[in-house]
Amino acid sequence: HRVMQELSEEHRSALMLICVEGLSYKEAAEVLQVPMGTVTSRLVRARKSLIEKLGNGYLEFGLGASR
């Protein structure tokens, strides 16, 4: 959980809504009140940051799955 807390609030929110809560990109964009492209870029940056911090092993937890 420490690594998740190191993400910016914007990146953590996008990651949580899509990868943990199971929302679609469109649904997450509505919740966050931002364009869907913004959600996509935040998610890409969040995943990149997690890979840098944890290595590719984080993919085993389903955080790398696209929707």
Side-chain angles (χ1 to χ4, degrees):
H1 294 71
R2 177 188 58 78
V3 176
M4 288 291 286
Q5 294 302 318
E6 292 177 8
L7 296 175
S8 71
E9 178 62 31
E10 292 175 339
H11 293 163
R12 187 171 52 251
S13 295
L15 188 70
M16 294 296 291
L17 288 172
I18 293 169
C19 297
V20 177
E21 298 295 327
L23 271 59
S24 69
Y25 284 36
K26 181 179 178 185
E27 292 167 330
E30 291 171 3
V31 169
L32 297 171
Q33 298 181 339
V34 297
M36 198 163 60
T38 300
V39 170
T40 302
S41 65
R42 288 179 182 176
L43 188 60
V44 167
R45 289 185 180 112
R47 287 175 174 159
K48 181 179 181 216
S49 181
L50 288 177
I51 289 171
E52 289 172 357
K53 294 174 189 305
L54 300 174
N56 287 326
Y58 97 102
L59 296 171
E60 296 174 15
F61 299 102
L63 298 176
S66 296
R67 293 188 186 269

